[in-house]
Amino acid sequence: MEKVKEKPMNEMPVMNENEGIVLFYPNVPKTAIEEVTKVLQGRWIGQGPRVAQFEKEFAARFAGNGTALAVGSGTDSLHLAYILAGLKEGDEVITPVFTCTATTIPFLYMGVTFRFADVDPDTLNINVNHVRQLVNEKTKAIVCVHYGGLPCDMDELHAIAREYNIPVIEDAAHALGATYKGKKVGEISPFTMYSFQAIKHITTGDGGMLVVQDKSLVAKAERIRWFGIDRSNKQKGIWENDITEVGYKYQMTDIGAAMGLAALHEFDETLAHRQKLFEVYKKGLKGVAGIKLIGATHTDRTHAAWLCTAIVERREDFMKFLRENKIESGQVHYRNDRYSVLGGRRDDLPFMDSIEDNYIVLPLNTHLTEANIEFVCDTIRKGW
Ligand SMILES: Cc1ncc(COP(=O)(O)O)c(C=O)c1O
């Protein structure tokens, strides 16, 4: 702890779980270890029957009438979604400025131009009014991210998309299990993606899922996930040995799918636990001066409780004070226009500017208990 005080904030060392209350911790059920062991002893360790089973069970749970395609990462699924949405070099899209770089980077692979939309200061989700200002005849898609697990204003985004006859692509990397006006995230838009990276609700080590509502896109999605090859034909030995479109190596492995299936079977408990922890934060920080939780007031949508984010006064002091009390906190995501490769700083994002130095993510992971969160809230209530 002494060392921490001497260092500038951006050099604060990562905290180990035995040092206090950490931001993130992977959620790997015991059954995952047994299931992975079986896979490792069998014939299929790459993409095989477990992947198919995971896709089937995931779709039944989250996709409505859509199809789920398991891939190697959430980023892979975003890239696939952008291709399947028909985006190509020179096209323009609207995408949130505040997100993981994974939402934006695939546009660079494709030569797609993007316009960053500002945040809604109450949720840090995409600001619908700004999307309205940005949208024009050149816009080919709207991308939204359900920040922290709270769904965006989907009705409003869909209304804009309908007017311009363009798709909404949902980045639901944080939002597994969230609902919007009674509908599951996953059944609302033509494309919805999820991430199973190490610290998500469900992890496959690294992995992702793309839910596609249009069945006519599934065969193409499966091909471009695998070099452009029709894998099932190849396996039957009748493949004519031609590839006519650019594909990638974006498949999930049976090792990952075995982890994913085990976690999916426990998902209801995982989600309920995380949501309960979020409620403890809401109660514990209600009315506390100098801190306001983000996305904690909506009644028409449910929060998947992946992140607990707050706007705080004097963020640096707040982080130091928490760390002195053995509580980790962090920013997690940064405005994407801070990166040169993404075009650098824009000057038309006043809400992002206004929260940039004040948002902070508090510990929320499946291993934490209600008592842990109460301790965090008690500590914050002492003042920093
Ligand atoms: C909002 C968001 N989108 C996309 C991704 C990319 O997912 P992955 O790390 O599985 O590629 C992440 C994070 O990991 C994310 O937080």
Side-chain angles (χ1 to χ4, degrees), residues 115-369:
R115 304 190 74 181
F116 282 132
D118 206 348
V119 293
D120 172 334
D122 292 328
T123 60
L124 307 193
N125 280 338
I126 196 164
N127 186 312
V128 174
N129 294 332
H130 196 213
V131 174
R132 246 212 191 277
Q133 285 166 27
L134 292 174
V135 72
N136 64 72
E137 294 305 329
K138 284 190 285 177
T139 311
K140 294 290 187 290
I142 299 170
V143 179
C144 67
V145 174
H146 307 305
Y147 176 74
L150 182 81
C152 297
D153 298 326
M154 297 313 298
D155 281 353
E156 291 81 352
L157 291 174
H158 274 272
I160 301 170
R162 261 196 311 277
E163 233 175 89
Y164 286 81
N165 196 22
I166 54 177
V168 173
I169 301 167
E170 292 182 45
D171 178 333
H174 302 179
L176 188 62
T179 61
Y180 174 81
K181 298 189 179 172
K183 282 192 179 161
K184 290 174 193 159
V185 164
E187 58 185 13
I188 300 170
S189 297
F191 306 97
T192 307
M193 64 66 66
Y194 302 87
S195 162
F196 307 129
Q197 163 263 355
I199 53 175
K200 295 292 177 358
H201 294 80
I202 287 180
T203 181
T204 58
D206 252 321
M209 194 73 85
L210 176 63
V211 169
V212 181
Q213 291 300 331
D214 180 351
K215 299 264 182 237
S216 72
L217 290 175
V218 172
K220 176 172 175 147
E222 286 175 347
R223 279 196 308 274
I224 56 178
R225 168 175 68 175
W226 185 261
F227 302 122
I229 295 171
D230 181 336
R231 215 168 166 254
S232 54
N233 270 345
K234 187 165 182 252
Q235 280 165 357
K236 282 187 234 149
I238 57 164
W239 180 51
E240 287 175 3
N241 204 17
D242 191 15
I243 299 173
T244 56
E245 64 206 321
V246 176
Y248 303 85
K249 191 147 191 280
Y250 278 174
Q251 87 290 0
M252 181 177 278
T253 67
D254 264 25
I255 299 170
M259 290 179 73
L261 276 164
L264 185 62
H265 297 157
E266 292 189 4
F267 180 70
D268 288 341
E269 295 81 39
T270 303
L271 181 66
H273 179 61
R274 296 184 77 111
Q275 288 174 330
K276 177 73 206 166
L277 298 182
F278 194 76
E279 288 302 316
V280 177
Y281 270 124
K282 273 163 77 173
K283 201 165 150 224
L285 297 178
K286 199 167 176 211
V288 178
I291 184 162
K292 184 179 147 247
L293 284 189
I294 282 296
T297 55
H298 289 70
T299 51
D300 62 348
R301 58 201 86 176
T302 59
H303 199 301
W306 187 61
L307 296 177
C308 180
T309 304
I311 301 293
V312 289
E313 287 171 12
R314 292 177 292 105
R315 180 171 66 191
E316 197 154 319
D317 293 343
F318 180 84
M319 290 181 77
K320 280 184 185 157
F321 172 70
L322 288 191
R323 186 57 81 94
E324 282 158 10
N325 286 280
K326 305 194 186 322
I327 298 165
E328 193 181 27
S329 61
Q331 284 168 256
V332 184
H333 294 322
Y334 298 89
R335 57 188 298 168
N336 273 206
D337 67 351
R338 84 199 308 254
Y339 303 113
S340 311
V341 75
L342 299 177
R345 192 81 176 197
R346 319 297 206 254
D347 57 9
D348 59 344
L349 303 167
F351 290 117
M352 187 70 238
D353 294 344
S354 72
I355 59 105
E356 182 173 11
D357 297 329
N358 304 98
Y359 71 90
I360 192 74
V361 179
L362 300 170
L364 178 56
N365 68 65
T366 311
H367 284 248
L368 295 178
T369 62

Side-chain angles (χ1 to χ4, degrees), residues 1-50:
M1 285 299 154
E2 285 311 308
K3 248 171 139 188
V4 172
K5 282 189 207 160
E6 289 160 18
K7 291 195 168 193
M9 291 300 292
N10 59 6
E11 286 182 32
M12 209 179 250
V14 174
M15 207 165 93
N16 293 317
E17 75 273 17
N18 52 11
E19 288 179 274
I21 299 179
V22 293
L23 268 175
F24 299 119
Y25 200 92
N27 171 38
V28 180
K30 285 204 179 67
T31 47
I33 297 165
E34 292 153 25
E35 292 305 315
V36 167
T37 305
K38 284 186 209 157
V39 170
L40 293 176
Q41 289 164 339
R43 179 180 172 201
W44 295 96
I45 60 170
Q47 185 189 342
R50 301 274 179 152

